[in-house]
Amino acid sequence: MHATDVDADTFTETGIRDHEIAWPSASYPCRVVTPRATTGEPLLVLGGGLQNRHSWARLERHLAPHRTVLIPDLPPARSPGQARASLSWDDLTAAALSAVDQLSVPRFAVLAVSSGYPIGYRLAQRHPDRVTRLMLFGAAPHPSPRLTALIHEGLRREAAPTPADSPAARRRTAAELVDVLTNTRAAEHHLLIKAAARVMLDQLTASPHDPLVRYVFDRGFLLLRDPLPAGGISGVPALVGVGEHDTATTVEDNRAVAATIPGATFLVMRNADHLLHLERDADFAAALTRFLHGAPLDDLPDCTAEIIP
């Protein structure tokens, strides 16, 4: 889903521009969506693997008319075959902080999903004076056994690439990756889950490179390296959410992350999987909006919410 998919009049009162963020290892663009009238601090969006600054059009449609949204295209932790050393979670956290610094944003809320969550978590842990609210979705202390095996397969492929990469081979690999990152069984009964998985499959298939290698080196291999840092978080209001059918980062996984943040709100969205911003975009945005304004979440439709003691 790209920004051009949004209705033409959605951002008539909104400015959209890309800023180039200078960073020692690699410069990168940051999308800045600014409404004429804002409420609250800007929202920094840290997407998951293979997502970019154009992947959040639906969220922009719901939130950007009222709040500045910052979406950086953080550099990949490593590109296949590159000579430089791999970036770490700390490096990527520093890169994200560079974006808000260079945009002169002193305080900001953070939405971090999937493999973006270790970065958002570290930002709130290390800069509680700057992060006003933290929202994590699709978070896990460590990758699932199936995803771990797939990451190792991606590392093997990068070390010994196949001589020919046909479109059919890319689609098979993409389907294998989608099968691990989404709940294909739930998709049989929920059309929105099925549609979101299809969007991911089509986007991965369109890539000119092996989708698995690209996923692994974009950030996936870092999931094997302490995505959840020790020490917990204090002093930052936090929301941790998950779809009830998520098998990539299960309800139990997300609850374990929420348990490291005393006082966090833990939200489970029914009839949803891992790609919440595509599957249930209006409900997802409603949950974020309520949390950003300090409103209760316990009466959201098809959701259950509880406070972690």
Side-chain angles (χ1 to χ4, degrees):
M1 181 66 64
H2 297 282
T4 52
D5 295 318
V6 183
D7 293 341
D9 63 347
T10 299
F11 295 125
T12 54
E13 298 297 319
T14 302
I16 303 175
R17 53 183 174 154
D18 280 351
H19 288 261
E20 192 70 14
I21 305 301
W23 191 60
S25 293
S27 296
Y28 63 89
C30 181
R31 181 177 173 87
V32 179
V33 185
T34 309
R36 292 278 183 89
T38 62
T39 57
E41 291 83 6
L43 175 64
L44 176 67
V45 178
L46 302 171
L50 303 177
Q51 293 175 331
N52 60 35
R53 65 192 186 281
H54 300 300
S55 299
W56 297 90
R58 294 187 185 187
L59 185 66
E60 289 179 9
R61 183 174 62 229
H62 293 292
L63 297 187
H66 310 290
R67 181 180 298 267
T68 297
V69 179
L70 317 173
I71 313 175
D73 267 354
L74 294 179
R78 181 179 166 193
S79 297
Q82 71 180 12
R84 71 168 171 80
S86 301
L87 300 177
S88 66
W89 290 124
D90 288 346
D91 294 328
L92 293 173
T93 302
L97 195 63
S98 290
V100 292
D101 285 345
Q102 292 180 38
L103 293 169
S104 300
V105 176
R107 286 168 58 79
F108 51 94
V110 173
L111 167 64
V113 305
S114 197
S115 63
Y117 107 81
I119 304 168
Y121 193 103
R122 284 165 170 80
L123 280 173
Q125 184 183 62
R126 298 170 187 180
H127 303 280
D129 57 325
R130 299 188 63 180
V131 177
T132 59
R133 288 183 178 268
L134 174 67
M135 294 158 285
L136 306 175
F137 284 81
H142 48 74
S144 68
R146 288 183 69 203
L147 183 54
T148 297
L150 204 60
I151 291 170
H152 283 296
E153 170 62 14
L155 292 169
R156 185 197 66 76
R157 289 189 191 183
E158 198 275 335
T162 56
D165 182 23
S166 68
R170 285 199 299 275
R171 190 166 187 86
R172 285 194 300 271
T173 297
E176 184 180 9
L177 185 55
V178 170
D179 184 60
V180 171
L181 295 178
T182 66
N183 188 333
T184 53
R185 179 169 296 182
E188 295 175 0
H189 306 285
H190 299 280
L191 292 180
L192 293 178
I193 295 177
K194 183 176 182 178
R198 181 58 183 264
V199 168
M200 175 183 281
L201 177 62
D202 290 344
Q203 291 178 345
L204 291 176
T205 302
S207 170
H209 308 292
D210 183 318
L212 179 55
V213 173
R214 182 181 161 215
Y215 170 79
V216 166
F217 284 101
D218 180 43
R219 205 178 295 155
F221 78 98
L222 283 181
L223 293 174
L224 304 178
R225 304 181 183 181
D226 299 322
L228 179 64
I233 293 174
S234 61
V236 179
L239 167 66
V240 180
V242 61
E244 68 169 337
H245 297 298
D246 194 332
T247 50
T249 61
T250 65
V251 171
E252 292 74 19
D253 288 333
N254 283 268
R255 187 186 295 275
V257 172
T260 69
I261 313 174
T265 299
F266 181 60
L267 181 75
V268 178
M269 299 185 73
R270 292 191 287 275
N271 306 317
D273 188 14
H274 191 64
L275 303 175
L276 295 173
H277 70 290
L278 293 177
E279 300 159 9
R280 292 181 53 188
D281 57 294
D283 294 330
F284 180 67
L288 300 184
T289 300
R290 287 199 186 192
F291 184 74
L292 287 167
H293 288 90
L297 281 73
D298 50 8
D299 62 342
L300 281 170
D302 293 318
C303 293
T304 58
E306 62 180 282
I307 304 298
I308 300 296

